[in-house]
Amino acid sequence: MKTLSVALVPGDGIGQEVVPAARRILEKACEGEQLRLEFASYDWGSEYYFRHGMMMPVDALERLRSHDAILLGAVGHPDIPDHITLHGLLLPIRRGFDLYANVRPAYLYPGVRSPLAGYEPGSIDMVVVRENTEGEYAPIGGFLYHHMPEETAVQTAVFTRHGCERIIRHAFDLARLRNRKRRVTSVTKSNAQAYGMVLWDRVFRAVAAEYPDIAADSLLVDAAAMDFVRRPAYFDVVVASNLFGDILSDLSAIVTGGIGLAPSANIDPHRRNPGLFEPVHGSAPDIAGKGKANPMGCILASAMMLDHLGIGAAAARMEQAVRAVLAAGDVLTPDLGGKASTSDVVAAVESRLKAAL
Ligand code: GGG
């Protein structure tokens, strides 16, 4: 029997609620597989910061490296500046394990209302592939005259040919999968960002030429933002820089029903290091501890984790169970217009899973 070891990092706020929820569904979905799931929980995050002055210990990556995958809840606390929490936990893992592809699917499920009128279930079906280790998130910069009246800040975006090429190639590889529409749209702002994003555009054209079976086009980010609202059904695979991919994937989540449903995978497609899987939403301190968090984003992220680990049948069962609960429409959390609690949704997904086993 195969054993898979999963590191759980619930983190902050509603991360503490959605990660245990997803773990329960993961265990149920894997029943009947020739598979033993082992979990190790790490108490890293803002409470750890209050005790130790850091978001995670210095040997955190060494400890995570022994696992097959990482399931993360959320990072962010109202009493700690957001750049401390993000740079103290999530970003060092993404960079340290070279998890250069952040894959964020957005699908309009049956039973879910898009804020855009007239869209049928399945008619919006895109995946935003976000470059995850460099670009605007590169930790290059500093302050001059810090906290003085003439204070100056420098923040440098970094675009390497290697970094652009590998993420764009991953986007084209995804577009070749059977269930996709075989289109890749690249998003930059190369009219204004005339170095890094000009390099990105050039690399995009070169890689696109290697995939003549896939339609390829480029948009400026302002036009892309308009088109995500005006004609979201057009998009299939969208590839963008770290910052633009972050923003656009929130937009793709909203037009397909909300951020509570959105999953994401941070992966090294060459599988040299464990991938990190997380819901797109943050720690949501306003609803934390109230049992109102939607666990579906974290459950769907866990399904992406199983799929990445080669347990595709269990991943598909999880996705189908979430889909069935959404279609029935009677057990939904407040973000989706319902009155159900996190545990009500977990019970509903679990009962659909039991029926499928
Ligand atoms: N679910 C993970 C989380 O808490 N994300 C919050 C966040 O601000 N992420 C920033 C990013 O993905 O770049």
Side-chain angles (χ1 to χ4, degrees):
M1 180 174 295
K2 188 171 168 183
T3 299
L4 285 178
S5 170
V6 179
L8 301 177
V9 186
D12 300 332
I14 61 170
Q16 293 286 336
E17 297 162 69
V18 298
V19 167
R23 174 185 175 162
R24 190 159 145 191
I25 299 302
L26 270 170
E27 286 176 323
K28 177 57 71 183
C30 289
E31 278 177 13
E33 297 285 325
Q34 286 302 307
L35 179 68
R36 210 163 70 85
L37 277 180
E38 279 180 0
F39 295 94
S41 210
Y42 295 94
D43 66 344
W44 305 336
S46 295
E47 292 305 327
Y48 188 94
Y49 180 88
F50 290 128
R51 291 197 303 278
H52 302 279
M54 52 181 86
M55 293 291 288
M56 59 183 180
V58 284
D59 65 347
L61 264 64
E62 282 323 302
R63 291 161 74 176
L64 291 175
R65 202 185 296 280
S66 63
H67 299 284
D68 295 297
I70 305 156
L71 182 62
L72 178 113
V75 279
H77 190 287
D79 296 336
I80 309 177
D82 286 335
H83 67 277
I84 304 270
T85 51
L86 197 62
H87 283 265
L89 199 151
L90 186 50
L91 301 188
I93 301 174
R94 287 180 182 163
R95 279 198 302 269
F97 286 156
D98 203 19
L99 305 176
Y100 67 84
N102 188 327
V103 180
R104 298 183 163 194
Y107 181 82
L108 184 58
Y109 282 106
V112 175
R113 251 203 14 231
S114 170
L116 306 177
Y119 284 95
E120 296 296 319
S123 62
I124 308 176
D125 178 7
M126 64 170 106
V127 52
V128 177
V129 176
R130 165 188 176 184
E131 200 292 316
N132 214 28
T133 51
E134 53 177 58
E136 308 88 340
Y137 274 50
I140 308 287
F143 291 105
L144 189 61
Y145 314 119
H146 205 191
H147 295 305
M148 294 179 198
E150 61 275 49
E151 185 161 19
T152 304
V154 174
Q155 179 95 48
T156 304
V158 174
F159 291 85
T160 65
R161 175 180 286 281
H162 168 71
C164 296
E165 186 173 331
R166 64 184 184 171
I167 193 64
I168 290 167
R169 201 172 285 289
H170 187 64
F172 276 96
D173 289 340
L174 269 185
R176 270 193 176 153
L177 295 182
R178 196 159 43 88
N179 57 343
R180 302 255 40 116
K181 291 176 277 191
R182 302 174 88 75
R183 171 189 302 282
V184 177
T185 303
S186 165
V187 177
T188 62
K189 185 71 182 172
S190 51
N191 55 347
Q193 301 287 298
Y195 305 110
M197 291 195 171
V198 167
L199 171 62
W200 174 294
D201 282 359
R202 200 157 9 97
V203 173
F204 180 74
R205 285 192 296 273
V207 174
E210 295 175 32
Y211 292 80
D213 52 319
I214 306 292
D217 59 0
S218 291
L219 286 175
L220 296 177
V221 67
D222 39 357
M226 287 191 285
D227 280 350
F228 268 43
V229 174
R230 191 176 55 157
R231 49 167 193 161
Y234 170 80
F235 294 102
D236 180 21
V237 178
V238 176
V239 64
S241 66
N242 213 328
L243 181 63
F244 291 175
D246 185 34
I247 296 166
L248 287 174
S249 58
D250 277 20
L251 193 45
S252 68
I254 287 298
V255 299
T256 49
I259 204 105
L261 266 181
S264 73
N266 302 265
I267 56 167
D268 164 12
H270 307 290
R271 296 165 189 271
R272 293 162 301 181
N273 285 305
L276 182 149
F277 300 81
E278 55 172 328
V280 171
H281 65 69
S283 58
D286 53 330
I287 58 162
K290 296 185 179 161
K292 290 181 175 178
N294 187 347
M296 287 175 168
C298 198
I299 293 170
L300 292 171
S302 308
M304 293 180 83
M305 178 178 83
L306 288 186
D307 201 41
H308 183 70
L309 293 171
I311 325 293
R317 279 197 292 278
M318 287 175 79
E319 207 257 349
Q320 288 297 331
V322 169
R323 180 188 283 257
V325 172
L326 288 169
D330 51 349
V331 188
L332 300 176
T333 43
D335 58 302
L336 293 177
K339 291 194 164 65
S341 66
T342 309
S343 51
D344 293 335
V345 173
V346 173
V349 174
E350 198 174 356
S351 108
R352 298 283 175 168
L353 270 175
K354 274 188 201 148
L357 281 169

